[in-house]
Amino acid sequence: MRKKSFRFWAEKRLSLEESRPVGYVQDDVDWARSHGYGSRIMAKEDSARLSNPNIAYRMSLSRSRQRAYDLAMDGGRDAVVLTSRTPSGGTITKQSGGCVGQAEKTLYGDPAAWFRSDTTVSNLRPLYVSKLLHDKEFTSAVNAWSHCMSKAGHPFPDPDAARQSTREHSAEQTRAEEARTFAHETRIAVADATCARLASLRSIGERREAHYVGELAGKYGPALDAHRRMQRHALTRAERIVPART
C-alpha cells in the first residue's frame, strides 16, 4: 500500500480544546487520553497551512500580479524596518508596511512599540531557564515525576524526553501505522499527565518560573507591562472588528 502522511486524513479546523497551548508540563489526563501529545492536532495545523486560501490565491496569479500582491501585503522596499535588541544582546529586525503593517497599527496602536516589547518579552526565557532547570524544588518535582513514570513502565528522566520518544517514527505512515503510533503516544502522554499531577510538577514549575521572572521585573518590568497592555488593546480591537465583518 502506498504510504501517505497523516495530513491526508487530517481535518483542517481546530476546536477550542485542540487550540489550547501545550507547555513543557501537561497534567490534564483527559486531554492526554483524547489527544496524546497533540500529534494529530499538529497534522491539522500543517494541513491548514498547506491549504491556506491566501497562499493558493497568490499562486494563481501571474508573476507581475504576485509582485503587486507582495507589495500590498508588506509594503516592499519602502516599508519601515523595525529593529529591536533582545535581552541577551542580539538584534531582530522586521518590515512593517502594507496591509500587515496597517493591521498591526489597528490592533496594537504603535507597531514599533509592540515589536520592541514583544521582542523583549519573547526572549526573556534564556535569561532564567538555566536557573529554573537547576532549581532544587523544581528538580525534586521532576525526579518525583520520573520515579512515577518508571513505576508505570515508562523510564524517562523528564517530560521532554517522554514527548520526544513518541516522535521517533517515519513522517509518512499508512492509516494503520498512524493508529498504532498514536495509541503508543497516548499511553505515554496519559502516564506523563498522571505523574505530573501526582508530583505537582506544573504548579511547582509555574511558581518557580514566576519567581525567576520576578527577579527580572526591575529591569524588564516596563516592557512586561507594555506587552500586557498592548495585548489587551489588540484583543479588544479584534473583538470589535470581527463581529462587524461577519
Side-chain angles (χ1 to χ4, degrees), residues 8-233:
F8 180 79
W9 295 286
E11 295 179 4
K12 299 175 184 177
R13 196 168 190 176
L14 300 186
S15 67
L16 181 61
E17 177 184 334
E18 291 172 327
S19 300
R20 190 186 68 183
V22 180
Y24 178 75
V25 179
Q26 205 296 98
D27 64 354
D28 187 329
V29 179
D30 290 336
W31 194 94
R33 189 173 288 116
S34 297
H35 305 292
Y37 285 116
S39 63
R40 288 181 171 177
I41 296 173
M42 288 186 283
K44 284 186 178 183
E45 291 175 332
D46 288 346
S47 178
R49 280 192 291 270
L50 290 173
S51 58
N52 186 309
N54 293 313
I55 295 176
Y57 173 72
R58 183 184 182 281
M59 292 298 293
S60 72
L61 300 174
S62 65
R63 288 193 176 183
S64 62
R65 294 299 298 162
Q66 285 182 359
R67 288 193 292 270
Y69 178 92
D70 294 340
L71 180 63
M73 284 294 289
D74 61 25
R77 294 181 179 179
D78 294 331
V80 173
V81 176
L82 304 178
T83 303
S84 181
R85 299 278 290 178
T86 67
S88 59
T91 300
I92 297 178
T93 62
K94 64 167 285 187
Q95 282 193 181
S96 179
C99 296
V100 173
Q102 184 58 47
E104 290 180 340
K105 185 175 182 180
T106 299
L107 290 175
Y108 301 106
D110 184 343
W114 166 251
F115 181 61
R116 287 193 301 271
S117 68
D118 191 52
T119 298
T120 298
V121 173
S122 299
N123 289 278
L124 285 178
R125 189 170 174 80
L127 300 185
Y128 67 82
V129 68
S130 179
K131 292 181 180 180
L132 176 62
L133 293 178
H134 291 87
D135 180 273
K136 289 184 179 180
E137 190 174 357
F138 180 69
T139 55
S140 178
V142 171
N143 289 336
W145 173 93
S146 181
H147 180 68
C148 175
M149 287 290 283
S150 294
K151 289 176 64 177
H154 306 293
F156 296 107
D158 54 55
D160 186 58
R163 188 170 304 170
Q164 291 301 323
S165 74
T166 67
R167 297 173 181 172
E168 297 171 356
H169 56 78
S170 171
E172 301 295 319
Q173 301 182 92
T174 64
R175 187 188 293 268
E177 289 171 337
E178 189 282 330
R180 288 192 294 270
T181 296
F182 186 69
H184 172 69
E185 173 188 332
T186 301
R187 283 194 297 272
I188 295 179
V190 168
D192 181 350
T194 301
C195 290
R197 179 159 293 191
L198 291 173
S200 299
L201 184 56
R202 181 175 180 179
S203 60
I204 291 172
E206 289 177 345
R207 177 159 49 80
R208 297 311 296 158
E209 182 175 29
H211 168 76
Y212 291 113
V213 172
E215 291 184 337
L216 301 172
K219 184 174 182 179
Y220 298 106
L224 289 164
D225 291 342
H227 193 262
R228 285 191 289 266
R229 184 175 64 256
M230 283 187 278
Q231 276 189 323
R232 289 194 295 268
H233 180 272

